[in-house]
């Protein structure tokens, strides 16, 4: 398979992924790829993200933005300064009209064949329903313990 064919297959797979998928260079200076699910999840046109990589952060709940930015900065700085790149996860809230949705994002390094950090990849999915079920289960468990 040629590099061009592999790129095409990769993009099609990412468009079918049930969630947001993105790629950033090793210095996290921009977003070089993001699938169309970002438009529904964050409520913005993905073309705007290619112009300004931080555009989608405005969709994150204001109380969670600083933690998200801090995570991106810490993984970038640790990789650039210390040569350590590791997988990280963060849960945050997205603004969805009058309500918030919970979102879980995983960020991980992608290495080239020589073992150097090539880029960062991320994928995220809405987990609101899962968290709601967990909270209900915990409330029920707490009530049973009171009996």
């Amino acid at each position: 398979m040629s590099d061009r064919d592999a790129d095409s297959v990769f993009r099609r797979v990412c468009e079918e992924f049930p969630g947001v998928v993105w790629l950033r260079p090793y210095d996290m200076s921009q977003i070089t790829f993001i699938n169309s699910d970002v438009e529904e999840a964050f409520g913005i046109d993905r073309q705007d993200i290619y112009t300004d990589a931080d555009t989608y952060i405005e969709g994150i709940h204001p109380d969670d933005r600083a933690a998200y930015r801090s995570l991106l900065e810490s993984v970038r700085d640790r990789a650039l300064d210390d040569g350590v790149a590791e997988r990280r996860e963060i849960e945050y809230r997205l603004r969805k009209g009058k309500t918030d949705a919970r979102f879980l994002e995983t960020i991980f390094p992608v290495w080239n064949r020589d073992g150097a950090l090539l880029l960062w990849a991320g994928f995220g999915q809405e987990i609101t329903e899962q968290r709601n079920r967990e909270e209900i289960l915990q409330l029920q468990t707490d009530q049973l313990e009171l009996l």
Side-chain angles (χ1 to χ4, degrees):
M1 179 181 298
S2 71
D3 287 346
R4 187 177 189 161
D5 290 340
D7 184 62
S8 177
V9 168
F10 169 77
R11 289 178 184 277
R12 287 196 313 261
V13 167
C14 288
E15 288 301 330
E16 295 299 322
F17 182 79
V20 176
V21 178
W22 56 259
L23 300 176
R24 287 179 178 252
Y26 69 94
D27 64 358
M28 294 223 186
S29 58
Q30 62 188 29
I31 291 182
T32 56
F33 173 81
I34 194 159
N35 69 348
S36 61
D37 279 9
V38 73
E39 294 177 351
E40 182 179 340
F42 288 80
I44 56 172
D45 185 325
R46 73 175 161 170
Q47 294 306 315
D48 294 340
I49 296 170
Y50 291 121
T51 304
D52 179 1
D54 289 336
T55 302
Y56 74 96
I57 293 176
E58 296 304 312
I60 296 174
H61 190 285
D63 294 344
D64 297 342
R65 287 180 196 154
Y68 184 79
R69 281 190 177 106
S70 177
L71 175 69
L72 290 180
E73 291 169 4
S74 71
V75 296
R76 179 202 61 210
D77 293 348
R78 193 147 185 236
L80 294 176
D81 298 342
D82 303 330
V84 176
E86 57 193 9
R87 178 185 178 124
R88 300 286 300 274
E89 286 188 345
I90 186 168
E91 184 175 326
Y92 52 87
R93 294 165 291 168
L94 292 175
R95 301 303 306 223
K96 293 277 199 169
K98 295 181 180 179
T99 62
D100 295 332
R102 294 186 184 181
F103 205 75
L104 181 65
E105 185 169 329
T106 302
I107 300 167
F108 58 95
V110 178
W111 310 95
N112 69 14
R113 292 180 183 155
D114 298 325
L117 179 61
L118 179 63
L119 56 86
W120 292 96
F123 62 89
Q125 290 183 295
E126 187 174 326
I127 58 169
T128 306
E129 291 297 321
Q130 175 186 341
R131 289 295 184 251
N132 289 343
R133 286 191 301 273
E134 290 171 358
E135 289 174 6
I136 290 169
L137 182 59
Q138 185 60 51
L139 287 171
Q140 292 171 338
T141 301
D142 292 347
Q143 288 174 348
L144 286 174
E145 288 176 357
L146 292 174
L147 295 177

